[in-house]
């Protein structure tokens, strides 16, 4: 009988510890973020042939021509969200579910949207196996999820040509949206909603993401 086990052994744990040190040395200071990265078994979110490189601080391929973001980038975006326990977070771009898992490790409630049906199905079945229970949707993240709004925090994990107006509308007053904005390279921005009509934007350097594409892919 073929037994499929999802193994997280001492080698993975050792590599993960080193990864936490690496992203700390690159400037991540939020201990809760570092702790979450230290807990999520990243190698299980990618194909098994990538096991050896899963804890390198690099983006890696997942299915459907998409990528699992670089751990430093995941940590950087998560840190910008300034999460408080039990907050409602909307993630756009579920992908492998790795970022989703990091958010859940921080004690927030996660709603996540993925446009690629195959990835959505795969991640929907996979995350509960690791004990992660987000609310996942197959849909177009440009539209957000108005029936679950408002959100304390919104995180876009694909390069957006502009910040989708629907997402700004679905942000709580006092809430923060984090997004990489731009066509080829993206500038990381955080947007604080200060009133029903006012938003305060800050910029945090350049990154490179796969694009945020309008519409869904069946
Ligand atoms: N957070 C993911 C990163 C995946 S890469 C992880 O940790 O693995 C970005 C993801 O955004 C891809 O899976 C891509 O299919 C998805 N995406 C792109 N445009 C989208 C849209 N309009 N709505 C929802 N998801 C989108």
């Amino acid at each position: 009988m073929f037994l499929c086990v999802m193994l997280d052994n001492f080698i993975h744990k050792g590599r993960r510890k080193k990864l936490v040190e690496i992203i700390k040395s690159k400037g991540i200071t939020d201990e809760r973020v570092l702790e979450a990265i230290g807990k999520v078994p990243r190698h299980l979110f990618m194909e098994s042939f990538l096991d050896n490189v899963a804890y390198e601080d690099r983006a890696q391929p997942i299915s459907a021509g998409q990528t699992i973001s670089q751990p430093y980038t995941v940590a950087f975006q998560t840190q910008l969200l300034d999460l408080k326990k039990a907050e409602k977070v909307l993630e756009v771009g579920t992908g492998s579910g790795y970022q989703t898992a990091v958010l859940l490790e921080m004690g927030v409630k996660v709603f996540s949207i993925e446009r690629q049906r195959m990835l959505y199905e795969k991640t929907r079945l996979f995350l509960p196996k690791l004990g992660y229970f987000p609310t996942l949707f197959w849909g177009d993240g440009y539209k957000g999820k108005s029936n679950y709004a408002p959100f304390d925090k919104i995180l876009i994990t694909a390069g957006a040509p502009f910040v989708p107006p629907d997402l700004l509308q679905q942000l709580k007053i006092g809430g923060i949206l984090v997004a990489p904005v731009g066509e080829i390279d993206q500038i990381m921005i955080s947007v604080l909603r200060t009133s029903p009509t006012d938003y305060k934007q800050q910029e945090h350097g350049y990154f490179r993401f796969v694009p945020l594409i309008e519409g869904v892919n069946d």
Side-chain angles (χ1 to χ4, degrees):
M1 190 180 72
F2 178 70
L3 191 65
C4 179
V5 279
M6 293 196 294
L7 209 61
D8 185 27
N9 64 28
F10 73 96
I11 297 174
H12 299 119
K13 289 188 172 113
R15 287 180 186 153
R16 200 147 69 233
K17 228 172 164 172
K18 281 202 189 115
L19 172 64
V20 170
E21 288 311 313
I22 289 168
I23 61 176
K24 201 171 171 177
S25 74
K26 290 183 178 174
I28 302 299
T29 51
D30 188 332
E31 284 297 331
R32 296 164 314 148
V33 174
L34 294 167
E35 213 175 285
I37 299 280
K39 281 189 187 153
V40 181
R42 188 170 192 260
H43 64 287
L44 298 179
F45 291 75
M46 31 185 114
E47 304 298 331
S48 54
F49 73 91
L50 292 169
D51 197 86
N52 275 332
V53 294
Y55 292 101
E56 289 179 8
D57 189 25
R58 289 207 320 230
Q60 299 290 352
I62 52 174
S63 342
Q66 302 304 313
T67 56
I68 176 171
S69 302
Q70 181 179 345
Y72 171 76
T73 306
V74 171
F76 190 81
Q77 289 199 288
T78 308
Q79 180 166 277
L80 284 176
L81 287 173
D82 191 21
L83 296 172
K84 311 279 182 318
K85 277 221 158 52
E87 281 187 331
K88 260 172 79 181
V89 181
L90 176 68
E91 177 191 24
V92 173
T94 316
S96 69
Y98 177 71
Q99 169 78 71
T100 316
V102 169
L103 294 171
L104 288 167
E105 286 289 357
M106 297 193 61
V108 298
K109 221 168 148 15
V110 184
F111 302 81
S112 185
I113 312 173
E114 171 57 53
R115 73 178 286 278
Q116 296 264 3
R117 179 156 215 162
M118 196 196 78
L119 265 178
Y120 157 75
E121 298 286 358
K122 191 172 168 190
T123 302
R124 185 174 64 91
L125 295 175
F126 170 68
L127 283 174
K129 290 187 187 153
L130 294 186
Y132 294 120
F133 299 97
T135 306
L136 300 182
F137 307 95
W138 173 54
D140 181 3
Y142 273 89
K143 301 195 178 95
K145 269 287 155 206
S146 55
N147 44 341
Y148 290 82
F151 298 98
D152 296 292
K153 307 286 160 70
I154 297 178
L155 173 61
I156 304 181
T157 71
F162 54 89
V163 180
D166 283 342
L167 296 184
L168 289 173
Q169 270 313 313
Q170 292 172 26
L171 191 61
K172 241 183 215 170
I173 295 168
I176 299 171
L177 174 146
V178 171
V181 178
E183 301 276 356
I184 298 166
D185 282 336
Q186 293 85 33
I187 189 144
M188 192 67 76
I189 63 156
S190 62
V191 180
L192 173 68
R193 185 170 195 178
T194 52
S195 81
T197 49
D198 296 302
Y199 299 85
K200 214 171 101 191
Q201 182 173 318
Q202 278 186 307
E203 297 183 349
H204 308 276
Y206 282 91
F207 290 80
R208 186 167 283 185
F209 284 75
V210 295
L212 187 73
I213 301 169
E214 284 198 73
V216 291
N217 188 330
D218 200 349

